[in-house]
Amino acid sequence: MSTVRTNPLATAVAERRFCYVVELVASALRREWQVLEAASRLARVPQLVAGSITSYAGGALGQDPIRVGTAARARGLTPNVHVTCVSQDREGIRKTLEDLHALGLHNVFALTGDWPREGTPIFDIDSVELVRMIAELRRGGMPFHVAVAVSPFKYVEADQLYQYLKLEKKIAAGADLAITQVGWDAVKFAELRRYLDERGLAVPILGNVYVLGPRAAERMATGQPPGCWVSPELLEAVRVESRAPDKGLRARLERAARTVAVLRGLGYAGAYIGGTHDADQVQWVIRRADALATQWEELYGELSFGRSGGFYLYEDPRRSATRRAPRAAPPGDRATAPAAPSSRSTLVPRALDALGRLFPVARDTPLRRVLRRLFAWIDRRPPLARAVERLELAVKQPVFGCQACGNCVLSWMEYVCPQTCPKQMRNGPCGGTDMGRCEVLDQPCIWVAVHERATAAGRVDTLRTFVPAPDRSLRGTSSWINYFLDRDRRPDRDDQDAGRQVR
Ligand code: SF4
């Protein structure tokens, strides 16, 4: 494949050569020339196969990642450009991808993105639909190599399992490579590798290796940026290290090198280094990791900054096939996990399921044909159609928090409305949750409820179904009418291209 021949990142993962990618944070805090100077020096590190150029890191607008990516490539560093779903609708994202192709920038990191700190947020599509869009463009001749994110560092069962399930959806959609969220828990790194191996998913993974200094540690200890978390024990260790004459530099590079050695031992495809742009530091970490390679099993035990009482899928992901029972969170734990689904919250889905079985309309039944004719008749009379929309909202708003999106997918989401997710995603949680709680609103993540209800009903497998983004031109219309007239976007219609409005 031509991508593999010309693309060092794709080549390294295809040849199973352990490789390194450095994250270049193109934030507004750095001047563009500083980022590019760092790129020039990093380009001289032979083991480095790409520089990953951020976009909207931490929810703030930074340098234009396409311009920085183009300039980094001119300096000899292969760019891996972050493409997020933040503040662009699907047409805008498609245009960005076409621009990337026109410039010959084909390594992309497809992300949902952090909640913007300023401006009106737009989240039109989610990362799974983004990957589908890129895969569609690839089929059309644009040789994109797609990296996606996954976090094994979730300590609430439903949150963690949905992370893995969403990764499976991204792989099915066309992802080539997965990159983990930041974390310092070797058991969780091993858990992810084992989860994929058990399912025969050979997708290569880069483990995130963050060179953690005291400022970043203090911030991450509070859960910022969303999805990044430093345990009290690790924070204390970093504080102690930072009292050394070198302010803890040697110690944090050593921790990074040890993490790389562990990742290598666990069968990761490479390391995604963050927290430094300094080529000398990166080179030091690479050399030291090489020297430590044979000791990785001892180092595995040291990298144990997980969440006390948190969820782990296996007793020991390296050996045992035993699934570990979740442990209760200890008293005084900073964050509390959402409660198990109440019988009331599972009652509504069960009642609606029973109704669906009693009056089948999901396939071509006589009842569906009658209702289709009825709703077509109503649709031709706008005041009546408006009255139906009002009635639908009056019924669904109090029960589901309906916002009249016009493309109802409640039955694919265990009767949890996706519009109640601030990012309006339809295929699973983003990486920003903290102990199962939303990164934006002070509420449990809605996806935890979806997973718990699906588990209680014994149909977690149905959550693997791709749920398309809504046709937003249908907002404020009746989803009942749209459903029976087949003009909404929903999983059981196969006449919908990825990321396109269908009207
Ligand atoms: S998916 Fe759309 S139509 Fe269905 S409950 Fe949510 S907002 Fe309402």
Side-chain angles (χ1 to χ4, degrees):
M1 187 164 120
S2 63
T3 320
V4 172
R5 278 202 303 273
T6 57
N7 182 336
L9 173 58
T11 306
V13 293
E15 291 176 354
R16 297 173 180 273
R17 201 161 17 90
F18 193 84
C19 64
Y20 293 84
V21 172
V22 168
E23 183 170 272
L24 274 174
V25 182
S27 76
L29 297 175
R30 281 195 184 85
R31 294 192 186 281
E32 198 170 300
W33 66 263
Q34 291 174 305
V35 179
L36 295 178
E37 213 168 86
S40 299
R41 286 196 298 272
L42 287 167
R44 293 197 282 274
V45 178
Q47 299 90 336
L48 208 65
V49 291
S52 213
I53 319 288
T54 64
S55 164
Y56 258 99
L61 201 59
Q63 318 283 345
D64 174 3
I66 298 186
R67 198 176 62 233
V68 173
T70 310
R73 185 184 52 186
R75 285 159 177 78
L77 185 67
T78 301
N80 182 45
V81 180
H82 296 212
V83 177
T84 73
C85 303
V86 186
S87 295
Q88 280 195 101
D89 64 11
R90 63 200 82 179
E91 297 307 329
I93 293 173
R94 185 179 287 269
K95 170 82 175 50
T96 298
L97 291 164
E98 286 165 355
D99 289 348
L100 285 166
H101 170 63
L103 291 164
L105 302 174
H106 291 115
N107 288 319
V108 289
F109 192 1
L111 299 153
T112 299
D114 293 331
W115 186 257
R117 284 191 233 141
E118 289 168 4
T120 315
I122 300 174
F123 283 91
D124 183 28
I125 62 173
D126 64 24
S127 54
V128 178
E129 184 136 22
L130 174 58
V131 176
R132 280 172 61 99
M133 183 193 286
I134 299 169
E136 186 191 306
L137 293 172
R138 187 164 52 192
R139 284 193 295 277
M142 302 184 189
F144 285 114
H145 185 264
V146 191
V148 295
V150 60
S151 178
F153 305 108
K154 301 296 179 191
Y155 294 93
V156 168
E157 180 169 0
D159 196 11
Q160 183 62 81
L161 295 180
Y162 221 142
Q163 277 287 327
Y164 292 153
L165 201 144
K166 189 172 178 186
L167 175 60
E168 290 184 65
K169 290 174 96 165
K170 291 176 182 175
I171 294 168
D176 298 297
L177 173 71
I179 300 174
T180 73
Q181 179 61 281
V182 172
W184 291 267
D185 186 347
V187 178
K188 284 292 198 175
F189 275 126
E191 180 182 286
L192 169 61
R193 188 62 272 173
R194 183 181 177 126
Y195 180 93
L196 293 174
D197 289 347
E198 281 184 350
R199 284 154 185 81
L201 297 168
V203 67
I205 323 171
L206 302 187
N208 206 315
V209 179
Y210 196 89
V211 179
L212 185 67
R215 265 181 43 204
E218 296 286 349
R219 204 160 163 246
M220 289 185 196
T222 67
Q224 289 299 325
C228 301
W229 179 73
V230 159
S231 70
E233 297 77 18
L234 179 55
L235 176 63
E236 186 50 30
V238 172
R239 279 178 182 157
V240 170
E241 288 161 10
S242 67
R243 287 181 210 129
D246 68 351
K247 299 193 167 40
L249 176 64
R250 171 66 192 247
R252 58 180 170 267
L253 293 177
E254 176 72 18
R255 180 175 296 109
R258 290 177 178 210
T259 307
V260 173
V262 170
L263 291 171
R264 210 167 174 157
L266 289 172
Y268 274 61
Y272 182 90
I273 297 182
T276 182
H277 289 174
D278 187 309
D280 292 337
Q281 292 181 9
V282 170
Q283 197 111 52
W284 190 94
V285 169
I286 294 172
R287 283 206 205 98
R288 179 73 180 141
D290 284 347
L292 291 168
T294 55
Q295 299 167 43
W296 78 270
E297 290 199 82
E298 292 155 47
L299 304 173
Y300 176 91
E302 280 178 17
L303 191 64
S304 57
F305 299 102
R307 182 93 70 160
S308 161
F311 170 76
Y312 290 83
L313 185 54
Y314 309 102
E315 282 294 339
D316 181 347
R318 289 176 303 166
R319 297 188 192 90
S320 161
T322 329
R323 252 181 94 138
R324 178 184 283 191
R327 288 172 286 164
D333 199 3
R334 182 172 68 85
T336 49
S342 67
S343 54
R344 188 181 171 278
S345 69
T346 53
L347 192 70
V348 174
R350 282 208 303 269
L352 290 168
D353 281 349
L355 213 61
R357 281 193 297 274
L358 218 54
F359 303 105
V361 289
R363 53 201 158 77
D364 188 23
T365 58
L367 179 60
R368 185 180 171 97
R369 286 196 287 273
V370 169
L371 289 172
R372 185 184 165 86
R373 277 198 294 277
L374 173 67
F375 281 116
W377 183 84
I378 292 172
D379 193 49
R380 289 194 293 274
R381 290 156 182 81
L384 212 49
R386 179 79 184 143
V388 170
E389 186 271 319
R390 292 287 90 190
L391 172 70
E392 180 183 341
L393 190 64
V395 172
K396 286 160 70 179
Q397 195 172 45
V399 187
F400 307 111
C402 175
Q403 296 171 20
C405 77
N407 304 252
C408 201
V409 289
L410 281 175
S411 59
W412 283 277
M413 288 191 50
E414 299 295 328
Y415 303 99
V416 174
C417 171
Q419 298 300 108
T420 59
C421 164
K423 295 183 183 175
Q424 299 190 357
M425 296 184 303
R426 297 201 162 200
N427 286 288
C430 68
T433 53
D434 182 15
M435 289 304 280
R437 295 192 70 82
C438 177
E439 82 168 69
V440 182
L441 303 174
D442 185 18
Q443 64 178 33
C445 171
I446 68 155
W447 297 98
V448 169
V450 175
H451 199 281
E452 286 177 346
R453 287 182 184 184
T455 304
R459 55 184 179 212
V460 169
D461 269 357
T462 62
L463 302 182
R464 289 191 169 80
T465 306
F466 168 69
V467 182
D471 176 349
R472 301 209 184 259
S473 67
L474 295 177
R475 189 175 173 80
T477 64
S478 165
S479 78
W480 294 340
I481 297 177
N482 298 331
Y483 174 77
F484 283 103
L485 300 190
D486 281 327
R487 61 187 177 199
D488 55 347
R489 290 194 91 215
R490 60 175 196 265
D492 59 0
R493 288 189 58 206
D494 52 11
D495 54 342
Q496 302 159 113
D497 289 343
R500 279 195 202 283
Q501 294 280 10
V502 287
R503 297 204 82 195

